Amino acid sequence: MKREALLRHLRRNGCYLKREGRSHSLWCNPQTGHIEAIPRHIEIPNKLAQKICRSLEIPEF
């Protein structure tokens, strides 16, 4: 999965960028307060994208 597609999915489900790190971006779900690190790779494995969505408590793809 492309990183931009994942970020678009996160934004549509109410998540926002908390801060940028060196190799990861931290995204937060304000409804639950959960924070998850998103790697800065162009391509993100589907299993990792599903894990990120589950951790942020938003619908998976």
Side-chain angles (χ1 to χ4, degrees):
M1 155 175 289
K2 296 286 186 187
R3 182 176 192 266
E4 286 304 315
L6 176 60
L7 298 183
R8 195 175 317 115
H9 179 70
L10 296 177
R11 281 189 213 100
R12 285 183 183 154
N13 286 286
C15 298
Y16 68 92
L17 177 65
K18 186 169 179 84
R19 72 175 175 87
E20 292 285 347
R22 177 182 277 176
S23 60
H24 290 79
S25 304
L26 293 182
W27 282 74
C28 180
N29 184 345
Q31 296 171 347
T32 62
H34 288 102
I35 299 172
E36 186 65 33
I38 312 295
R40 288 226 182 120
H41 303 293
I42 294 172
E43 196 69 35
I44 295 176
N46 289 334
K47 287 279 192 188
L48 179 57
Q50 291 171 352
K51 184 245 177 218
I52 290 168
C53 291
R54 266 186 262 121
S55 177
L56 290 172
E57 296 182 9
I58 62 171
E60 296 178 14
F61 286 88

